[in-house]
Amino acid sequence: MKKEVSIIGSGFSSLAASCYLAQAGYQVKVYEKNSTLGGRARQYKQDGFTFDIGPTWYWMPDVFEKFFADFNKKPSDYYKLERLDPAYQVYFGENDSIIIPGNLEAIYKIFEAEEKGSSKHLEKFIKSAQDNYNIAVKDIVYRPGLSPLELVTPETMVRVTQFFSTIRKQVRKNIKSNKLIQILEFPVLFLGAKPSNTPAFYNFMNYADFGLGTWHPIGGMYMVIEAMVTLAQSLGVNFTTNATVSSIKINDKNAVEGIVVNDEFIKTDLLLSGADYHHTETLLPNNLRQYSEKYWDNRTFAPSSLLFYVGFDKKLINVEHHTLFFDTDFDVHAKSIYDTPEWPEEPLFYASFPSITDDSFAPEGKEAGTFLIPLAPGIEDSEELRNTYFDIIINRLEQLTGQNVKESIIFKKSFCVSDFVEEYNSYKGNAYGLANILTQTAFLRPNIKSKKVKNLFFTGQLTVPGPGVPPSLISGKIASDLILKTYK
């Protein structure tokens, strides 16, 4: 008889794991507390506009290809990808921006025009980043974080100094232009930490950026979720939405015997949680929790976010599909996230206008805009603060891009710290999980397999390998592989 595995949550990691386990012959049931599947990668629709609620960047396409190839499929079997060119735009001041092209040779020219000689340094930097990418993303990140020896390979040993230097030191060694420095330090923000705290080895994110490019699935990131759900269902996975898991029941052998879903006990052989790790452990008796409240409070978390989903009644000018506003001091903003948690006085922010690329996001002649301000997890969140910061970024958008947009706003919807807690049971309302700093890498992250409950496993951004969509796909594979190895 097939073993039953219950999965809590339906984000990228849960969906990936569900496919692998079903393919291996498990009877897989997924329970999602919200009304739609996808976890943080759900959709919001209003008045003919569509928004990706969560992730908007499609990087590292090879990770998606590898996932689907494991099932003899391709991404193109489910959705159409378009490589963005330009990839994105970065504003540094009024009418002062750099547009990053969609290919590496053109990027070298952009760098050289900004700082003479910088293209040679960039070429060397990207070669190092590509080598690190091939080591990290094609091998090391697929390891389960069970032992520090997983990080010890001939390739990592010759690069050991990169683990004890930082991205910031590496970038600033040869590049002097502050604009180019900010562009090169930006990708590690996807890892949820400051460049000054991120090991230099993680420059592989710069290869992901410049080398592999920025892509857009037509219809948005939710098309990837729909593709994974379709694949999972074809493998026999069963999904239940509006399913709140309120308790994990343990037998006298310290093994999961079942879960309570909407006040109903459901028996299961194995449990895999793709929900917030901290929240999942609160569903257990105190003595079976691996990590204390003090442990979680002392972790370095990636930021939370204040997000706005905005419908405009006209097309916007002087912006690209992805536009970054780095016209204020990054270090000051980062301090308000990581060092002295508070609302930033002059926030950096990011805007996505997918309707520039994809007509499905907005009615003809209109624009869909998603705005994001990184914030410290756990800070005060109120409607008044949200509105104050919306005015700040809209004023900046108008000033920096030289256009009036306020009168063209049809509607706005916000999503912030308290929503992350309410919608996803997110610890302190974090948006991206645990930051990938040296002391929270690989075996130093919370365990994939519980050390106290025999048949309880975890997946997602609070365990290995870390935050981001591609790492979440990888986390689902790691968790499923460990389950299959444990119960072979």
Side-chain angles (χ1 to χ4, degrees), residues 340-399:
T340 53
E342 60 189 353
W343 283 81
E345 286 189 21
E346 294 184 308
L348 285 79
F349 67 99
Y350 154 70
S352 171
F353 304 101
S355 44
I356 290 174
T357 302
D358 187 342
D359 291 340
S360 71
F361 276 83
E364 188 175 354
K366 299 179 181 179
E367 204 85 271
T370 297
F371 298 84
L372 182 153
I373 302 173
L375 296 174
I379 61 173
E380 176 192 2
D381 174 17
S382 69
E383 198 63 34
E384 183 180 1
L385 280 165
R386 297 185 189 197
N387 289 331
T388 296
Y389 278 81
F390 183 74
D391 289 340
I392 288 172
I393 63 174
I394 290 298
N395 287 337
R396 292 245 303 280
L397 173 70
E398 290 188 327
Q399 179 186 352

Side-chain angles (χ1 to χ4, degrees), residues 96-391:
D96 177 14
S97 71
I98 291 179
I99 294 176
I100 300 299
N103 70 84
L104 199 46
E105 289 305 316
I107 292 171
Y108 290 143
K109 291 177 183 175
I110 291 288
F111 268 60
E112 193 64 24
E114 175 62 28
E115 180 184 327
K116 192 166 178 58
S118 64
S119 63
K120 288 186 174 61
H121 296 305
L122 177 62
E123 193 169 352
K124 186 178 178 182
F125 179 74
I126 293 299
K127 176 65 172 67
S128 163
Q130 182 176 5
D131 289 344
N132 287 348
Y133 188 93
N134 288 333
I135 295 163
V137 178
K138 295 184 178 179
D139 179 18
I140 289 175
V141 296
Y142 283 91
R143 300 182 181 192
L146 300 177
S147 161
L149 295 177
E150 291 174 12
L151 298 179
V152 181
T153 69
E155 292 84 3
T156 57
M157 289 309 292
V158 298
R159 292 167 173 80
V160 70
T161 57
Q162 293 186 34
F163 287 92
F164 297 98
S165 183
T166 67
I167 289 285
R168 171 153 290 191
K169 287 178 182 175
Q170 190 180 48
V171 166
R172 295 175 185 229
K173 184 178 179 182
N174 296 309
I175 304 291
K176 305 306 175 190
S177 161
N178 192 52
K179 294 177 185 176
L180 299 184
I181 286 169
Q182 287 189 78
I183 289 169
L184 287 174
E185 289 183 347
F186 142 69
V188 302
L189 299 181
F190 284 95
L191 301 173
K194 292 189 291 187
S196 57
N197 279 350
T198 304
F201 182 76
Y202 284 98
N203 69 1
F204 61 73
M205 291 300 294
N206 293 97
Y207 177 68
D209 178 2
F210 288 174
L212 297 176
T214 303
W215 299 74
H216 172 71
I218 298 302
M221 289 297 287
Y222 197 68
M223 296 303 100
V224 187
I225 291 292
E226 290 194 338
M228 295 178 74
V229 170
T230 299
L231 173 60
Q233 288 175 329
S234 74
L235 295 165
V237 177
N238 180 270
F239 291 94
T240 305
T241 54
N242 298 306
T244 299
V245 178
S246 57
S247 179
I248 300 171
K249 297 301 182 184
I250 309 296
N251 64 23
D252 56 8
K253 295 179 182 177
N254 285 347
V256 175
E257 61 180 3
I259 52 178
V260 177
V261 182
N262 295 341
D263 299 324
E264 178 189 351
F265 175 77
I266 295 174
K267 192 177 181 306
T268 191
D269 296 315
L270 300 166
L271 181 62
L272 172 63
S273 180
D276 179 273
Y277 202 123
H278 168 269
H279 169 73
T280 303
E281 288 221 314
T282 67
L283 304 179
L284 293 165
N286 270 315
N287 65 312
L288 295 178
R289 298 173 190 176
Q290 301 169 92
Y291 305 105
S292 66
E293 289 299 319
K294 183 180 179 181
Y295 170 90
W296 290 110
D297 195 46
N298 287 335
R299 295 309 92 191
T300 299
F301 275 83
S304 185
S305 300
L306 169 57
L307 291 137
F308 295 101
Y309 312 104
V310 186
F312 296 95
D313 70 2
K314 68 175 184 181
K315 301 299 286 184
L316 272 57
I317 60 171
N318 300 328
V319 291
E320 297 295 341
H321 181 131
H322 296 296
T323 307
L324 301 156
F325 294 86
F326 284 1
D327 55 307
T328 62
D329 192 319
F330 170 79
D331 288 336
V332 174
H333 187 155
K335 186 177 179 182
S336 73
I337 297 173
Y338 296 102
D339 302 332
T340 53
E342 60 189 353
W343 283 81
E345 286 189 21
E346 294 184 308
L348 285 79
F349 67 99
Y350 154 70
S352 171
F353 304 101
S355 44
I356 290 174
T357 302
D358 187 342
D359 291 340
S360 71
F361 276 83
E364 188 175 354
K366 299 179 181 179
E367 204 85 271
T370 297
F371 298 84
L372 182 153
I373 302 173
L375 296 174
I379 61 173
E380 176 192 2
D381 174 17
S382 69
E383 198 63 34
E384 183 180 1
L385 280 165
R386 297 185 189 197
N387 289 331
T388 296
Y389 278 81
F390 183 74
D391 289 340

Side-chain angles (χ1 to χ4, degrees), residues 74-103:
K74 303 185 295 293
S76 58
D77 292 332
Y78 300 97
Y79 53 88
K80 180 183 177 186
L81 274 180
E82 185 172 325
R83 184 165 184 162
L84 296 183
D85 192 1
Y88 53 89
Q89 180 175 15
V90 186
Y91 270 94
F92 302 98
E94 194 170 339
N95 299 314
D96 177 14
S97 71
I98 291 179
I99 294 176
I100 300 299
N103 70 84

Side-chain angles (χ1 to χ4, degrees), residues 450-464:
S450 172
K451 290 184 176 180
K452 293 191 174 184
V453 181
K454 293 175 183 175
N455 52 352
L456 173 59
F457 297 79
F458 298 85
T459 187
Q461 60 189 11
L462 290 179
T463 184
V464 291

